[in-house]
Amino acid sequence: MSDTIFGKIIRREIPATIVYEDDDILGFKDIAPQAPVHVLFIPKHDAIPTLDDARPEHAQLLGRLMLAAADYARREGLAQDGYRVVMNCREHAGQTVFHVHLHLLAGAPLGHFGA
Ligand code: 5GP
């Protein structure tokens, strides 16, 4: 189990606004939103630190993170206007929590990104 801040959220040791949950994935609002809608999707049982640590056996879980975000966006009426999903990996991407997570950003036109 993850000993990051996200592990504490999974174990309900600290509060979070949970908006999605299934057997393997938790979705909750980012504490410092970068868009009108900013939700993080994380694996509940397999705390892969970064995408670089993912292995072929994680393929299904990583795919399900994407589908969870897409499902949430569709249900919240965000899909037609569109949204962005982002996964930061390590320093140059600004990763701060080493429990792999997918950001869902939506609710307004998003600027282009990159260096
Ligand atoms: P990263 O930069 O690692 O890709 O994203 C980590 C995200 O976790 C950041 O957007 C940050 O705002 C969010 N975050 C960090 N601590 C907490 C917390 O305690 N609760 C919630 N809901 N989000 C957090």
Side-chain angles (χ1 to χ4, degrees):
M1 178 56 90
S2 170
D3 59 3
T4 67
I5 195 91
F6 291 173
K8 291 183 170 45
I9 290 173
I10 292 166
R11 295 191 295 272
R12 282 20 180 210
E13 291 169 9
I14 62 167
T17 304
I18 293 170
V19 296
Y20 179 95
E21 184 160 23
D22 63 32
D23 286 347
D24 298 313
I25 293 166
L26 195 66
F28 53 92
K29 292 187 179 180
D30 197 292
I31 203 168
Q34 303 297 308
V37 177
H38 188 171
V39 175
L40 303 172
F41 292 86
I42 66 172
K44 283 171 28 177
H45 308 298
D46 202 340
I48 309 158
T50 79
L51 185 58
D52 184 56
D53 299 299
R55 296 294 173 262
E57 60 266 29
H58 299 124
Q60 190 178 7
L61 182 60
L62 292 171
R64 290 190 54 205
L65 282 180
M66 300 283 269
L67 292 175
D71 182 50
Y72 175 82
R74 198 176 306 115
R75 279 193 289 110
E76 292 296 310
L78 302 165
Q80 189 166 355
D81 285 339
Y83 53 85
R84 178 174 295 153
V85 293
V86 175
M87 191 175 278
N88 294 319
C89 180
R90 298 196 178 128
E91 190 179 345
H92 279 192
Q95 184 178 3
T96 57
V97 181
F98 291 85
H99 178 136
V100 89
H101 52 280
L102 194 68
H103 296 255
L104 169 68
L105 300 151
L110 302 165
H112 268 278
F113 56 90

